[in-house]
Amino acid sequence: MTADPAGELASAAPATKEELLARVAQGDQSAFGELYDQISPRVLGLVRRLLIDHAQSEEVTQEIFLEIWQSAARYEPTRGGASTWILTMAHRRAVDRIRSSQAGRDRDTKIGIRDLAVAYDHVAETVEVRIEHERVEKAMTRLTQLQRQAVSLAYYGGFSHSEVADMLHIPLGTVKTRLRDGLIRLRDELGVAS
């Protein structure tokens, strides 16, 4: 403090942000408090404008001031003003938070879609299978006895063509012909397009 001509004490001009950052770089807590008082409303305003959520904005602002405390020595006055340096840092932090939140939401959405149980109507499925089974049984009655025997062994019994030929004591070619003719007739009876 200095005395003015009238004998009153006059206070010194407030320190600039650049001066305060230089003092913060040396570990001056009071300088950090002054810097915080000067620029925190602008930092919070910028962060809140980007994040919208007030609680997250306060959290990110706190992280920014922690980073200022830890990295004030990296500030170079020749590259720009202290406000610009701090607000750039704030903008980057806010954008990082947005990206992180979006990545989390995207991940949760993918997991949610993957784990989503699709509604399944067991009764309707059972009825459809039963109706289809009845249609096939009815169509099977329209086959010749020889065709029905070959189709039943191959498709209901699960036997190979060679095994059906051995069981019926007929040539393999005959089994294939009976199966082909039987399947064509089933297709026509069931109204299935080829």
Side-chain angles (χ1 to χ4, degrees):
M1 302 225 182
T2 60
D4 69 359
E8 297 177 358
L9 293 177
S11 62
T16 65
K17 292 174 188 67
E18 290 75 10
E19 293 168 343
L20 291 172
L21 263 178
R23 289 174 36 207
V24 169
Q26 296 170 356
D28 186 337
Q29 292 180 5
S30 66
F32 182 74
E34 285 181 54
L35 180 65
Y36 180 87
D37 291 341
Q38 284 186 23
I39 197 148
S40 65
R42 287 184 67 193
V43 171
L44 180 60
L46 171 66
V47 172
R48 187 156 188 208
R49 196 169 47 238
L50 292 169
L51 296 181
I52 299 165
D53 181 83
H54 187 70
Q56 273 198 19
S57 299
E58 288 177 343
E59 185 179 320
V60 170
T61 299
Q62 184 177 7
E63 292 172 6
I64 292 162
F65 278 97
L66 177 63
E67 186 175 353
I68 291 169
W69 175 255
Q70 294 172 339
S71 64
R74 290 196 315 240
Y75 168 66
E76 296 177 29
T78 59
R79 296 185 69 191
S83 294
T84 303
W85 185 72
I86 292 170
L87 293 174
T88 300
M89 185 184 306
H91 185 267
R92 287 181 182 154
R93 277 277 180 165
V95 169
D96 287 348
R97 177 62 64 99
I98 291 168
R99 287 179 180 152
S100 174
S101 295
Q102 185 62 47
R105 281 192 300 275
D106 291 347
R107 183 179 55 251
D108 291 346
T109 300
K110 286 178 185 176
I111 290 171
I113 289 170
R114 182 194 70 203
D115 295 343
L116 178 66
V118 178
Y120 182 72
D121 187 352
H122 294 283
V123 174
E125 177 72 17
T126 303
V127 170
E128 286 179 31
V129 168
R130 185 171 292 139
I131 290 170
E132 194 64 30
H133 181 69
E134 289 171 0
R135 285 184 65 216
V136 171
E137 281 184 350
K138 184 177 178 184
M140 287 284 286
T141 61
R142 300 233 165 81
L143 299 180
T144 66
Q145 175 62 32
L146 297 174
Q147 290 171 339
R148 187 171 37 254
Q149 189 180 34
V151 169
S152 294
L153 287 171
Y155 292 98
Y156 288 115
F159 296 105
S160 70
H161 295 177
S162 300
E163 291 171 328
V164 171
D166 289 342
M167 293 170 81
L168 297 178
H169 307 293
I170 56 175
L172 179 60
T174 303
V175 168
K176 290 182 178 182
T177 300
R178 287 181 186 172
L179 287 172
R180 186 197 69 221
D181 292 345
L183 291 176
I184 290 171
R185 193 166 205 177
L186 277 175
R187 182 190 68 207
D188 293 343
E189 291 292 327
L190 294 171
V192 176
S194 56

